[in-house]
């Protein structure tokens, strides 16, 4: 009986792990990151902020109550996915360091941040960040998020009205990293 009660408590806690999108969510890289990888993670947070009006804050000094940490982990490469999000008191993004093409790492980061925003399911479309886009690739000058991505977010956060700044397009930045831009 004790064990069953314990499991029920764990299940209840999992519900609380969906962050409140009205409050800031710190996103912090831990262990070794290159400058390019740091730029990509920062850009991925910005893309979601523009697309749905949440408040991801890329920071190496987290100070807000809601926090996500992100790290590279060789073990992540053993599975079929290149990244994984684990909900918890702090959210945890684990990334495989070996990517098959250059922008895939940025796209996988953006996908995992989608899970951190509350989306707990996978998309199905080839043009969805939450679907196949991380493995298919994205086109410069095209919207980064599909209508399916936006619908999945709205369904995951039913009491939050998305406040998009725009429908952000995917671009390469002046520094050679990736970014989202509003037209
Ligand atoms: Zn996923």
């Amino acid at each position: 009986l004790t064990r069953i009660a314990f499991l029920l408590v764990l299940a209840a806690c999992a519900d609380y792990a969906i962050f409140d999108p009205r409050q800031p969510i710190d996103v912090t890289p831990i262990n070794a990151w290159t400058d390019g990888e740091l730029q990509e993670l920062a850009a991925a947070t910005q893309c979601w902020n523009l697309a749905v009006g949440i408040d991801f804050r890329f920071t190496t000094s987290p100070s807000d109550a809601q926090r996500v940490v992100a790290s590279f982990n060789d073990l992540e490469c053993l599975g079929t996915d290149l990244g994984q999000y684990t909900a918890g008191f702090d959210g945890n993004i684990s990334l495989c360091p070996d990517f098959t093409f250059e922008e895939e790492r940025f796209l996988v980061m953006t996908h995992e941040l989608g899970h951190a925003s509350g989306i707990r399911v996978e998309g199905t479309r080839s043009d969805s960040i939450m679907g196949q886009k991380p493995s298919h690739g994205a086109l410069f000058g095209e919207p980064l998020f599909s209508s399916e991505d936006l619908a999945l977010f709205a369904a995951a956060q039913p009491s939050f009205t998305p406040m998009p700044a725009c429908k952000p397009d995917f671009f390469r930045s002046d520094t050679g990293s990736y970014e989202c831009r509003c037209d």
Side-chain angles (χ1 to χ4, degrees):
L1 190 63
T2 308
R3 164 164 265 168
I4 289 169
F6 180 64
L7 288 173
L8 287 174
V9 169
L10 280 183
C13 288
D15 288 336
Y16 289 103
I18 292 210
F19 292 132
D20 179 354
R22 291 168 199 78
Q23 302 299 323
I25 304 168
D26 290 347
V27 176
T28 299
I30 54 174
N31 71 29
W33 288 63
T34 67
D35 286 348
E37 290 161 354
L38 292 172
Q39 284 183 35
E40 288 167 9
L41 183 64
T45 63
Q46 176 71 356
C47 290
W48 276 107
N49 290 351
L50 290 172
V52 298
I54 58 175
D55 190 8
F56 277 136
R57 297 186 182 180
F58 173 81
T59 175
T60 53
S61 307
S63 59
D64 293 297
Q66 303 188 116
R67 300 180 185 186
V68 175
V69 295
S71 60
F72 288 98
N73 183 349
D74 286 320
L75 293 176
E76 202 58 55
C77 307
L78 297 176
T80 53
D81 298 324
L82 291 169
Q84 180 171 303
Y85 178 73
T86 307
F89 184 73
D90 290 343
N92 195 306
I93 291 172
S94 175
L95 299 162
C96 164
D98 302 325
F99 287 87
T100 52
F101 60 98
E102 203 183 344
E103 73 194 35
E104 189 176 36
R105 185 175 58 211
F106 168 82
L107 297 174
V108 170
M109 287 178 188
T110 311
H111 175 100
E112 301 308 333
L113 283 169
H115 289 310
S117 80
I119 300 169
R120 293 291 189 265
V121 297
E122 302 297 331
T124 59
R125 285 167 45 173
S126 62
D127 64 341
S128 297
I129 275 289
M130 300 313 295
Q132 308 304 315
K133 186 175 259 182
S135 53
H136 287 203
L139 295 173
F140 294 130
E142 294 287 313
L144 185 62
F145 300 96
S146 72
S147 55
E148 181 187 45
D149 291 321
L150 302 177
L152 288 173
F153 175 79
Q157 296 284 7
S159 63
F160 176 73
T161 303
M163 294 172 287
C166 65
K167 205 162 190 258
D169 290 330
F170 178 59
F171 276 101
R172 186 180 277 276
S173 74
D174 295 340
T175 59
S177 187
Y178 303 105
E179 65 184 12
C180 282
R181 289 185 208 156
C182 291
D183 265 333

